[in-house]
Amino acid sequence: MGSIRRSKTKRRTRYMLAATVTMMTFTEIMFRDLDQIHADLRSPKHLAQYKVTKAAEDLPGLGKYYCIQCAKWFEGEHNLDEHQRGKNHKRRLRLLKQEPYTQKEAESAAGFGSYEKGKGQKIGS
């Protein structure tokens, strides 16, 4: 007795579904950059301007439970607490400890403007 094979249409459908989900994750999911989150932490006005752009009906938990450091909404307080104890939140906190580069620093690194000696880290030999 031979082995039972799945139909080719079943495989093709499963492949097409995976490709659709993959394309959706790359194109539709946009995360806030670290410099935007730094601005949110410094200025409540900046955060309020961002929250106004989102309709509360479309957000999880009607927009009540928001993690500022990760820029994510959650369904309930329990989910937010679990997230704050998790690895991804702690990693984001570690990344946010570093101050973002200013425009002046970026231009001096690219070779524009003047370089101020003594501003960098001292590295021992």
Side-chain angles (χ1 to χ4, degrees):
M1 200 172 216
S3 63
I4 300 173
R5 290 182 50 185
R6 292 186 180 167
S7 69
K8 291 181 180 179
T9 58
K10 192 81 126 173
R11 282 189 215 146
R12 193 175 310 133
T13 305
R14 196 174 302 143
Y15 168 75
M16 292 179 78
L17 178 65
T20 304
V21 170
T22 305
M23 287 301 294
M24 185 175 65
T25 56
F26 284 129
T27 58
E28 292 184 7
I29 298 177
M30 299 292 290
F31 296 109
R32 289 176 63 80
D33 290 328
L34 291 176
D35 57 343
Q36 293 173 323
I37 294 172
H38 271 284
D40 290 345
L41 292 171
R42 279 191 221 113
S43 167
K45 181 182 172 187
H46 191 269
L47 179 62
Q49 286 176 345
Y50 173 66
K51 285 186 175 183
V52 167
T53 62
K54 307 290 183 183
E57 305 87 39
D58 298 336
L59 299 173
L62 297 176
K64 291 181 183 177
Y65 307 103
Y66 181 70
C67 177
I68 298 172
Q69 293 86 0
C70 299
K72 291 183 181 181
W73 277 274
F74 294 94
E75 287 289 327
E77 188 174 356
H78 176 72
N79 293 349
L80 179 61
D81 292 339
E82 287 292 320
H83 162 74
Q84 289 175 343
R85 282 189 254 135
K87 179 172 62 173
N88 290 335
H89 181 76
K90 291 177 183 176
R91 182 183 305 142
R92 180 57 67 109
L93 289 178
R94 183 175 43 83
L95 291 173
L96 286 172
K97 284 181 182 177
Q98 300 174 355
E99 281 295 316
Y101 292 109
T102 62
Q103 184 64 32
K104 184 177 179 181
E105 291 172 334
E107 288 173 356
S108 65
F112 303 112
S114 63
Y115 174 72
E116 296 177 15
K117 190 170 180 147
K119 286 279 190 174
Q121 291 180 331
K122 294 184 179 180
I123 301 174
S125 54

